[in-house]
Amino acid sequence: MEQINPDVLISEDDISLRINALAKAINEDFSGEELVVICVLKGAFMFCSDLIKKIELPVRLEFIQLSSYGDGMTSTGNVKIEMDVSTTLKDKNVLIVEDIVDTGLTITTLLKMLEIRDPKQVKLASLLFKPSRNKHKVPIDYLGFEIEDKFVIGYGLDYAGRYRELPYIGVLNAGN
Ligand code: IMP
């Protein structure tokens, strides 16, 4: 089995602490309300899983899968819904949970697609944001970490379908 040894950019402990803070803000902002949490597959699965464990509100968990990236490091620029949520969003409080906002194209397109379903409100939680790459102004209501322009892996994020299982955010180094 091939060994992998990425550099740690954000540790498991730091992710956990940050998620506690984000969940606290979400609990306060939506106090007394129900929440439809939409986990954007596949990259957000680990973040979403840890985040909802800390949410103390009635949650309906939904999944959506989009295609925008190929198997590499750049977007195809063409965002499509591959798998949709299974509930109506009309008059619902919606929290989109995303892994990373890079250029912002994916999330901007998703927000437009969901807005026409007439939700009560839509908020966005993203674990990571790369400001230097951002082309579409994206309102991130609950942001984990701003990072430099590096391609990151782990904690749900992949490179060519690999490394999602790592419990931290890492960067592939020259030895990998
Ligand atoms: P955007 O449309 O350019 O904002 O790209 C967003 C999507 O690209 C994310 O949901 C990820 O799936 C993928 N992506 C962007 N940057 C990275 C990265 O550094 N590592 C892994 N996936 C990334």
Side-chain angles (χ1 to χ4, degrees):
M1 182 90 173
E2 189 190 341
Q3 289 293 312
I4 55 158
N5 189 23
D7 295 330
V8 178
L9 187 66
I10 309 172
S11 72
E12 206 175 341
D13 285 350
D14 286 347
I15 293 171
S16 173
L17 284 173
R18 190 72 195 119
I19 286 179
N20 288 346
L22 297 183
K24 186 168 180 287
I26 292 166
N27 288 332
E28 285 168 9
D29 292 353
F30 290 96
S31 173
E33 305 266 353
E34 291 185 5
L35 205 51
V36 177
V37 173
I38 302 180
C39 174
V40 184
L41 294 174
K42 296 176 185 174
F45 83 95
M46 212 178 269
F47 173 43
C48 189
S49 163
D50 286 343
L51 183 67
I52 60 170
K53 286 181 221 166
K54 305 285 174 185
I55 293 182
E56 295 161 354
L57 304 163
V59 163
R60 178 175 180 127
L61 178 61
E62 291 287 330
F63 297 94
I64 199 163
Q65 185 158 17
L66 309 168
S67 59
S68 64
Y69 269 55
D71 246 8
M73 294 186 179
T74 50
S75 172
T76 62
N78 185 12
V79 181
K80 276 195 327 208
I81 294 183
E82 297 289 339
M83 188 191 86
D84 208 342
V85 298
S86 62
T87 189
T88 175
L89 302 179
K90 188 167 167 47
D91 300 327
K92 301 285 169 79
N93 297 303
V94 174
L95 178 67
I96 301 172
V97 180
E98 175 64 301
D99 55 356
I100 183 166
V101 175
D102 185 19
T103 65
L105 174 71
T106 307
I107 207 67
T108 304
T109 311
L110 178 63
L111 285 167
K112 278 190 203 140
M113 287 167 170
L114 297 186
E115 207 51 60
I116 52 178
R117 299 183 191 187
D118 213 11
K120 184 172 168 190
Q121 59 176 323
V122 179
K123 300 277 187 191
L124 171 64
S126 182
L127 180 65
L128 303 172
F129 175 54
K130 283 186 200 166
S132 58
R133 299 252 311 156
N134 196 240
K135 291 199 190 115
H136 304 261
K137 202 170 154 37
V138 180
I140 305 177
D141 302 286
Y142 308 101
L143 173 63
F145 304 91
E146 273 193 15
I147 59 166
E148 296 170 44
D149 183 11
K150 289 186 172 160
F151 195 85
V152 290
I153 49 153
Y155 200 70
L157 289 101
D158 76 310
Y159 170 59
R162 294 190 52 201
Y163 310 116
R164 292 192 197 277
E165 71 281 13
L166 299 177
Y168 55 86
I169 300 288
V171 183
L172 290 178
N173 55 46
N176 295 122

